[in-house]
Amino acid sequence: MQLLSEQELQRRKYREELMKVGINPYPSELFEVNVTAKEILQNYEKRKLDYKNISIAGRLMSTRIMGSASFGELQDSTGRIQFYVRRDDICPDENKDLYNTVFKKLLDIGDIIGLTGFVFTTQTGEISIHVTGFKLLSKSLKPLPIVKTTEDADGNVTTYDAFSDPEQRYRQRYVDLVVNPEVRNTFLQRTKMISTMRDYLSNKGYLEVETPILQPVYGGASARPFKTHHNTLDMPLYLRIANELYLKRLIVGGFDGVFEFAKDFRNEGMSRFHNPEFTLMELYVAYKDYYWMMDLFEEMLETVSIALHGRAEVQVGEHLINFQRPWKRFTMAESIKHYTGKDIDGKNEQELRSLAAELGVHVDDTMGKGKLIDEIFGAHVEPKLIQPTFIIDYPVEMSPLAKKHRSKEGLVERFEVICNGKEICNAFSELNDPIDQRQRFEEQLELGRRGDPESMVLDEDFLRSLEYGMPPTAGIGIGIDRLAMIMTNAPSIQDVLFFPQMRPEKKAANDAEAFKTLGIAEHWIPLLAKMGVNTVEQLKGSNPNKLFNDLCGMRKKMKLEVANPTIDEVKSWIA
RNA sequence: GAUUCCGUAGCUCAGCUGGUAGAGCAUAACACUUUUAAUGUUAGGGUCCUGGGUUCGAAUCCCAGCGGGAUCACCA
């Protein structure tokens, strides 16, 4: 049993009253909808005759009652539209209850209703629905945050009482979506982004596939996994951190191109760029190399930008990001030279370490050559790359799944694209020499033995598949959430995930069951909680007279329709 | 994990140097047939996050905890 606010109690009462007058607040039968708000607002002026007999459903978002006529706003999945109700239209007979009682009293903001009527334009020029009939489709028992907006002559929108607490918005995304229209738009954009990518790849003939999320050996990336257990097989399983190794098995199996929009899971820190579950799109194409993949990625993102915004440019915060091809391409060494003036080419580990120190980059003794370069890059280059930029040719130590560079010693054929200061993809010419791959895994195992919790583990079955022969292949992984952040101008990953991971909601410890065994009736328990008595210990420690008084006072205040407890009853709880 | 800010009515927020709470919207009542953040009059609504401390007295000061935001670190 929960404690209800005055408004919630009121709405529960209205629900009862509706039933008493023969209106089912939750009817079963369908409600025929033949138009949306957006459709009316867009087309009414041009095709007035088509809107003489409409039927629309949605959520009641506001009412302005003026005696025997009222205005209100209905919100459906496409937007809001004003409606106009006149008492004598919906109550042509002597009995005006439908208007006076049901419409004016028993309907609340947030209720889902169906309207029938015709479209007209008010004296103030707003396209509205003149209601000839309405039907309650679902009674809302919780008050919705009321957000109001005004628009001045210049079209500047002012919002009042915004529902803006991030915690509430993420925990109760359903409310956020009802009340904040731009949130809905962000998610529509995200879906459109994904479908554009899917169409782009499908049209090239690549196969969208599904691979295991529960994996006996996790691989394909450097990250800590979530571990679980299968009862029947009595074996540990891991939620995938990547699907790379499975997609490559499919290339071995003879598919020319495979891709998957994959939910991956990494048991690591959370921030505005990290959520424990996130979406990575991986694509592998046989007989291609990383240069080819750069061209594909450029073209795909340009396509996405145009699909979403009608042009190759996207405003992200203070930056206007331009996805128009071609993008700049730097080797990692060039990019570091460009931003620091220092040349890392041919430097050994010791020289790199002192260079890092000179540049004020934090390093420690466990870092090898590759890691040192990566740290310098991360500190001095990455944040400065706002426009999409290819960074190519990474140190081999950091890239155990990438093919060694065809001409540069110590490097691999790998690129990342940095955009708005963050990596948005990672791609290689895939390593397909099984002997080399085994050695690289073994180096990773060595790192693991030295205590790196993110080193890769050796996947024997994957190596076996490579031994059968994998064609030369280009592969790419694209962080869908981070890309969505850029494409929708969202400052946090939580803004592009419907339900970002949150700490569990705090619940006051409550010995409700123990209270019942003491003979306390169920309806007192929430009142006790409200008075701060949550545990048997607290109960036993309180003064029975005060408890009795408080309980009776609280009963009256909450308008609970039950008899007061007797003082002896209360004493018996404490005894 | 570190630093910092925040937690007051259903929502958005005020509340000064400590004197037991305020506004607007929402809710309830009345009026009002084209309003639009409708309006006018009236009313109800708060363990001021939790627990300790200082004090005659704490929403306010101090400490601890819980929850959240931001930045940084970790994390490709």
Side-chain angles (χ1 to χ4, degrees):
Chain A
M1 187 168 165
Q2 26 180 175
L3 267 184
L4 298 173
S5 69
E6 190 185 8
Q7 290 187 40
E8 287 172 297
L9 291 169
Q10 188 72 254
R11 288 181 180 222
R12 277 165 167 72
K13 210 174 87 196
Y14 289 164
R15 173 181 168 278
E16 299 287 329
E17 284 179 30
L18 283 161
M19 288 171 163
K20 275 183 205 151
V21 299
I23 294 173
N24 180 355
Y26 304 99
S28 316
E29 63 277 12
L30 64 80
F31 181 84
E32 198 81 53
V33 171
N34 64 18
V35 72
T36 63
K38 189 175 168 189
E39 225 178 298
I40 293 172
L41 296 175
Q42 279 182 349
N43 300 328
Y44 172 67
E45 292 294 350
K46 287 171 274 176
R47 305 206 316 264
K48 293 194 175 178
L49 293 179
D50 292 350
Y51 299 96
K52 290 292 179 203
N53 202 345
I54 61 132
S55 179
I56 188 168
R59 207 180 273 276
L60 180 63
M61 295 306 283
S62 71
T63 51
R64 295 182 288 278
I65 294 170
M66 299 174 306
S68 50
S70 300
F71 286 90
E73 276 179 307
L74 185 80
Q75 173 172 297
D76 71 4
S77 65
T78 64
R80 286 190 190 188
I81 188 160
Q82 177 172 263
F83 63 83
Y84 173 62
V85 183
R86 204 159 53 180
R87 183 184 62 199
D88 298 339
D89 288 339
I90 61 169
C91 304
D93 304 329
E94 281 306 299
N95 182 348
K96 304 295 184 189
D97 285 352
L98 185 62
Y99 181 80
N100 287 340
T101 307
V102 178
F103 179 81
K104 274 169 67 171
K105 248 191 93 176
L106 302 181
L107 238 43
D108 286 298
I109 288 174
D111 287 353
I112 293 166
I113 58 174
L115 299 177
T116 51
F118 58 88
V119 180
F120 74 114
T121 306
T122 64
Q123 286 182 0
T124 47
E126 179 157 348
I127 295 169
S128 307
I129 298 167
H130 191 124
V131 175
T132 53
F134 77 91
K135 180 175 184 183
L136 177 61
L137 301 176
S138 181
K139 182 75 192 157
S140 161
L141 297 184
K142 261 195 176 313
L144 222 46
I146 307 287
V147 181
K148 295 191 172 180
T149 56
T150 45
E151 198 176 326
D152 66 20
D154 302 329
N156 299 316
V157 175
T158 316
T159 302
Y160 301 84
D161 302 336
F163 178 63
S164 57
D165 176 11
E167 178 179 5
Q168 299 252 61
R169 287 187 46 224
Y170 300 143
R171 284 199 199 280
Q172 302 187 42
R173 182 69 88 182
Y174 34 89
V175 175
D176 194 27
L177 286 163
V178 168
V179 148
N180 292 328
E182 67 287 355
V183 174
R184 164 185 295 278
N185 195 42
T186 297
F187 287 99
L188 292 179
Q189 295 269 59
R190 179 186 166 117
T191 295
K192 192 168 184 186
M193 177 186 101
I194 290 172
S195 63
T196 303
M197 292 172 75
R198 174 174 284 127
D199 291 347
Y200 175 87
L201 296 172
S202 298
N203 287 338
K204 289 192 179 297
Y206 307 140
L207 187 69
E208 183 167 12
V209 297
E210 293 179 282
T211 63
I213 292 172
L214 285 172
Q215 301 179 347
V217 179
Y218 60 94
S222 304
R224 278 174 283 174
F226 287 92
K227 189 177 181 181
T228 182
H229 183 263
H230 190 278
N231 290 340
T232 301
L233 296 174
D234 189 22
M235 64 182 284
L237 285 171
Y238 300 90
L239 295 177
R240 68 181 168 201
I241 57 173
N243 56 356
E244 169 152 2
L245 304 186
Y246 283 92
L247 292 177
K248 283 181 183 171
R249 283 172 171 93
L250 296 177
I251 297 292
V252 170
F255 292 108
D256 281 338
V258 289
F259 67 94
E260 180 175 12
F261 287 89
K263 264 291 178 76
D264 292 343
F265 306 84
R266 298 186 184 175
N267 204 343
E268 294 172 340
M270 291 165 62
S271 76
R272 75 190 178 97
F273 292 105
H274 300 85
N275 194 65
E277 64 173 281
F278 63 102
T279 305
L280 202 59
M281 199 288 288
E282 295 197 42
L283 164 72
Y284 294 83
V285 183
Y287 312 115
K288 307 295 186 193
D289 64 5
Y290 77 138
Y291 290 114
W292 177 89
M293 188 61 89
M294 288 189 232
D295 295 340
L296 176 134
F297 186 68
E298 258 178 351
E299 185 180 60
M300 183 161 65
L301 281 219
E302 193 185 79
T303 306
V304 165
S305 176
I306 290 168
L308 261 54
H309 304 288
R311 56 183 193 151
E313 289 171 322
V314 183
Q315 187 72 42
V316 182
E318 56 184 354
H319 302 295
L320 186 63
I321 293 182
N322 190 349
F323 289 100
Q324 172 103 50
R325 289 173 290 166
W327 306 341
K328 283 185 190 146
R329 299 183 182 190
F330 288 120
T331 66
M332 183 157 244
E334 283 167 354
S335 72
I336 290 174
K337 191 167 183 183
H338 184 263
Y339 283 101
T340 68
K342 304 293 181 186
D343 200 343
I344 57 164
D345 261 345
K347 287 221 167 32
N348 65 29
E349 185 174 323
Q350 197 44 54
E351 288 166 325
L352 284 170
R353 194 178 301 282
S354 48
L355 177 61
E358 187 187 330
L359 290 168
V361 177
H362 174 76
V363 293
D364 63 56
D365 291 342
T366 68
M367 291 178 181
K369 200 175 154 183
K371 184 74 178 164
L372 287 167
I373 293 172
D374 194 56
E375 289 290 322
I376 294 171
F377 179 79
H380 286 277
V381 182
E382 201 173 39
K384 292 179 185 139
L385 295 173
I386 301 303
Q387 298 303 325
T389 307
F390 289 101
I391 300 297
I392 63 179
D393 299 343
Y394 282 64
V396 64
E397 297 89 337
M398 310 279 311
S399 316
L401 299 165
K403 195 177 266 194
K404 280 185 179 139
H405 198 280
R406 62 195 73 181
S407 59
K408 296 176 188 166
E409 186 64 31
L411 300 181
V412 290
E413 297 202 349
R414 170 178 173 182
F415 72 83
E416 289 189 357
V417 171
I418 313 295
C419 181
N420 205 31
K422 274 278 164 187
E423 166 204 343
I424 54 172
C425 77
N426 184 15
F428 332 124
S429 298
E430 300 295 336
L431 177 55
N432 61 347
D433 174 348
I435 303 297
D436 189 358
Q437 182 68 79
R438 182 176 291 278
Q439 272 173 12
R440 304 266 200 104
F441 274 143
E442 273 163 4
E443 284 159 19
Q444 288 290 312
L445 290 178
E446 183 53 35
L447 286 177
R449 276 193 285 274
R450 280 198 277 159
D452 182 348
E454 285 157 8
S455 62
M456 291 189 188
V457 291
L458 192 144
D459 186 335
E460 277 296 346
D461 179 68
F462 171 65
L463 286 171
R464 178 167 63 190
S465 77
L466 287 191
E467 286 169 12
Y468 282 102
M470 183 173 86
T473 299
I476 188 167
I478 301 167
I480 294 298
D481 310 291
R482 289 189 187 173
L483 187 58
M485 285 168 66
I486 290 171
M487 288 295 174
T488 64
N489 189 17
S492 166
I493 198 168
Q494 295 174 306
D495 296 320
V496 297
L497 298 169
F498 274 127
F499 304 105
Q501 193 62 48
M502 304 280 281
R503 258 174 234 276
E505 276 187 82
K506 152 179 94 160
K507 266 192 202 148
N510 191 311
D511 296 357
E513 291 308 311
F515 282 178
K516 280 187 216 166
T517 62
L518 288 173
I520 303 176
E522 202 171 338
H523 50 256
W524 299 125
I525 292 171
L527 301 199
L528 289 170
K530 181 114 180 155
M531 285 152 49
V533 181
N534 278 310
T535 63
V536 175
E537 203 176 321
Q538 285 171 324
L539 181 76
K540 299 283 182 192
S542 43
N543 175 334
N545 293 311
K546 178 166 165 41
L547 194 68
F548 171 72
N549 272 332
D550 288 351
L551 205 52
C552 294
M554 194 67 85
R555 185 204 68 96
K556 188 174 178 189
K557 190 168 165 188
M558 300 308 294
K559 297 172 181 136
L560 223 62
E561 292 177 7
V562 292
N564 275 329
T566 65
I567 180 76
D568 290 334
E569 219 179 310
V570 174
K571 279 180 181 164
S572 77
W573 300 343
I574 294 175

